[in-house]
Amino acid sequence: KAGVTQTPRYLIKTRGQQVTLSCSPISGHRSVSWYQQTPGQGLQFLFEYFSETQRNKGNFPGRFSGRQFSNSRSEMNVSTLELGDSALYLCASSSNHGGYEQYFGPGTRLTVT
Amino acid sequence: AQSVAQPEDQVNVAEGNPLTVKCTYSVSGNPYLFWYVQYPNRGLQFLLKYITGDNLVKGSYGFEAEFNKSQTSFHLKKPSALVSDSALYFCAVRDMEESGNTGKLIFGQGTTLQVKP
């Protein structure tokens, strides 16, 4: 099976702009989660989608949003970018049974200048 | 609140020697525990999980982990380290405090493993 794919891999934006990141899960996986990874805060959970519904949300401001489509692909959006949003954004997919282990994509490296 | 701790920022080991990367957890109920590895500029790769059953769990690339309920630990081990094992390792626990089924993971801060030739 193909793994989780994320696009784009690298992105440079300016403060105040908005950005949309895309994630395609492993075929058959209906759960998609997003995490932010920074050197200072480590890995932090953003949100999780299952069957087009957000079923869990982390402690991030409303500038961070996401959605999931009927084919389980997911997007996350960050509006009004701040310098502190510079991070590696990781998407993970999992099946909704068994151990719920998550399989991660390569990430999108976002740099805000 | 549920949490995961990795007490060592870095572990150094010589190639061929056994390695241990430590993890302790704090959860309500029975834990779902995971280990992931991250190579530079890459996403996280799943290594192994503990859900229930045998306390010694075997995973990918020769890694194994020992679940110890009394010590609330889930240490990652490998009998003979390779230089190529050098990477960043994360322990994680599934967040069971959320209502319903959820895949949310709580991660430790990570431990850098350095294997020297």
Side-chain angles (χ1 to χ4, degrees):
Chain A
K1 280 186 180 179
V4 177
T5 59
Q6 291 186 247
T7 57
R9 291 293 310 278
Y10 302 92
L11 208 49
I12 299 175
K13 290 287 188 179
T14 305
R15 274 180 302 175
Q17 289 185 316
Q18 75 164 18
V19 67
T20 299
L21 311 182
S22 180
C23 171
S24 292
I26 291 172
S27 177
H29 285 186
R30 295 163 63 192
S31 169
V32 174
S33 297
W34 290 88
Y35 294 83
Q36 181 196 64
Q37 185 178 21
T38 59
Q41 299 298 318
L43 281 155
Q44 293 187 289
F45 173 79
L46 281 157
F47 27 66
E48 179 192 11
Y49 287 87
F50 179 78
S51 292
E52 302 178 65
T53 300
Q54 185 183 88
R55 66 179 181 183
N56 212 335
K57 190 178 191 307
N59 189 27
F60 278 82
R63 300 185 297 106
F64 291 81
S65 63
R67 58 177 176 168
Q68 187 180 33
F69 302 96
S70 58
N71 61 358
S72 294
R73 190 177 70 84
S74 177
E75 290 181 345
M76 69 163 281
N77 184 277
V78 187
S79 62
T80 319
L81 284 165
E82 300 177 359
L83 295 179
D85 297 333
S86 295
L88 180 67
Y89 289 88
L90 294 164
C91 166
S93 75
S94 66
S95 63
N96 202 44
H97 58 80
Y100 293 82
E101 62 267 25
Q102 298 193 355
Y103 294 90
F104 285 79
T108 294
R109 172 74 62 185
L110 173 64
T111 302
V112 182
T113 62
Chain B
Q2 302 183 111
S3 64
V4 176
Q6 295 180 241
E8 302 155 316
D9 289 337
Q10 182 160 327
V11 169
N12 298 309
V13 65
E15 188 174 31
N17 283 0
L19 69 87
T20 298
V21 182
K22 296 180 180 178
C23 171
T24 58
Y25 64 91
S26 174
V27 302
S28 53
N30 295 320
Y32 283 37
L33 294 159
F34 306 86
W35 274 102
Y36 287 86
V37 60
Q38 185 177 34
Y39 294 97
N41 300 313
R42 302 281 293 277
L44 276 65
Q45 294 180 33
F46 170 73
L47 282 178
L48 51 80
K49 67 182 178 185
Y50 173 83
I51 306 300
T52 186
D54 290 341
N55 290 339
L56 186 63
V57 179
K58 294 191 181 297
S60 305
Y61 313 118
F63 284 94
E64 57 191 28
E66 187 170 11
F67 172 69
N68 188 315
K69 188 171 184 177
S70 62
Q71 297 186 4
T72 62
S73 67
F74 188 56
H75 300 332
L76 182 70
K77 300 182 179 185
K78 188 174 183 181
S80 179
L82 300 172
V83 172
S84 57
D85 292 331
S86 298
L88 182 58
Y89 290 80
F90 290 97
C91 181
V93 64
R94 184 178 159 208
D95 188 347
M96 303 296 281
E97 288 184 350
E98 299 292 330
S99 60
N101 291 325
T102 173
K104 175 186 175 184
L105 294 178
I106 299 169
F107 285 89
Q109 283 297 101
T111 298
T112 298
L113 174 65
Q114 189 77 263
V115 181
K116 298 186 177 180

